[in-house]
Structure formats: structure tokens, C-alpha cells
Amino acid sequence: MSEITLDEASLRILDELQKNAELSNAELAERVGLSASPCWRRVTEMKQNGVLRASVSLVDPLKLGLAVNVFVHVSLKHQDKESLEVFTRAIARRPEVMECYLMSGEADFMLRVVIEDLIKYQNLLLECLTQIPSVASIRSSFALSQVKYTTALPTGHLRRR
């Protein structure tokens, strides 16, 4: 994976866009101390080289009735390529699975599920997770409260070079 070099102005742009991607180019340029044209050029360049992947709106899950956050640890019977692919294909189709990671350690996968209630989660377990042939065990942990949530990636390490 090739690393892209970003100067201080580009890092300021990233920091601002991670806070609010709806800023106009003029507002963004003013906040980062550039004129509009170089700011626009830098944003376009970061989009083209994949640093900026997408602009999205963050939705409040509670406003949609999605009150339950579950962290699910799944272990497979076998960790062969086919078993991993079968599991990932099944999970990729589930909209309530917000994140899925292949893990090292005790569990093979960790999922973050956002869902309406415990009955809906039980249905997900019974109708999806337990139906995947390679699943050996499932452990669920329910979040009681969200202490921190951010989508902004840290950029400070890029400034210490």
C-alpha cells in the first residue's frame, strides 16, 4: 500500500472536512487559510487519489428507533478460505451489521450490529448467524451507553514527520 504525502494545508483541509463535509469551498478555504482555487485543487486531488472516499450524512440511530448496539464475537468451526468467504458473503447482505472485522485472537470475526430491540436481535441470530454452516459459536455484548463515537480519523501522526 503506497502512502500519500500530505502537507500541513491538506491536513487542515482533512480535519475540517471530517468535522463538516458540507462546508462550501469558500468556507473551507477560509478556515484552513488558503484561497479558494488552491483549496479546491487540493480537495479534488485528495478525492482522485482516494484519501477522500465519500461524503455522507451521519444519522442519529435513536431517531430511527435503533436503540440497541451489539458487539458480536463469532468463531468459526474452520478458518479455511471457503468458510471465511461464506461467512463474509452472508454478513455483507445484512443492513443491521454496521461493521465486520476479521480478527486475531479468540473470535474470528467481530461485528457491530445496530438494531431496534432484543427481539429483532434474536431474529438476526436465529435467521442469519446460526444458519451459516461454519459458525461454531456466537458471543454477544450489549452496549449500555456510548462513551465516545467519532468518524474522524486522527491526523496528528502525519504532522510529526
Side-chain angles (χ1 to χ4, degrees):
M1 180 168 49
S2 64
E3 192 172 309
I4 295 171
T5 303
L6 300 170
D7 64 9
E8 181 60 34
S10 293
L11 292 171
R12 288 194 309 267
I13 290 170
L14 281 180
D15 290 342
E16 290 299 324
L17 288 177
Q18 287 190 100
K19 291 179 204 168
N20 183 357
E22 293 182 347
L23 291 172
S24 70
N25 186 60
E27 291 172 313
L28 180 60
E30 184 177 323
R31 289 185 186 196
V32 300
L34 293 173
S35 60
S37 183
C39 183
W40 178 83
R41 217 173 10 260
R42 286 169 186 263
V43 170
T44 300
E45 198 173 274
M46 286 190 282
K47 286 179 180 178
Q48 289 172 344
N49 64 29
V51 172
L52 293 172
R53 296 189 322 203
S55 296
V56 299
S57 294
L58 299 177
V59 179
D60 185 335
L62 295 176
K63 301 285 186 196
L64 300 183
L66 299 168
V68 178
N69 253 301
V70 189
F71 293 89
V72 186
H73 302 265
V74 178
S75 296
L76 303 182
K77 294 173 189 166
H78 307 284
Q79 289 74 30
D80 58 277
K81 183 178 180 183
E82 182 182 347
S83 297
L84 296 171
E85 288 174 355
V86 166
F87 182 84
T88 56
R89 277 196 307 273
I91 292 305
R93 294 191 296 262
R94 300 305 301 218
E96 59 273 87
V97 177
M98 303 302 295
E99 299 174 71
C100 177
Y101 299 95
L102 179 60
M103 304 293 290
S104 65
E106 290 183 33
D108 295 308
F109 289 93
M110 185 175 80
L111 289 62
R112 184 173 72 91
V113 173
V114 177
I115 202 155
E116 298 99 312
D117 55 40
L118 295 179
I119 293 170
K120 295 284 186 181
Y121 180 65
Q122 181 181 10
N123 290 339
L124 174 69
L125 280 177
L126 297 175
E127 296 170 11
C128 176
L129 295 176
T130 61
Q131 298 305 307
I132 301 170
S134 59
V135 170
S137 69
I138 302 165
R139 287 188 308 114
S140 305
S141 298
F142 296 87
L144 301 177
S145 70
Q146 189 175 72
V147 175
K148 180 181 179 182
Y149 175 81
T150 184
T151 61
L153 295 173
T155 58
H157 67 289
L158 297 171
R159 290 180 167 92
R160 292 191 288 264
R161 292 180 181 190

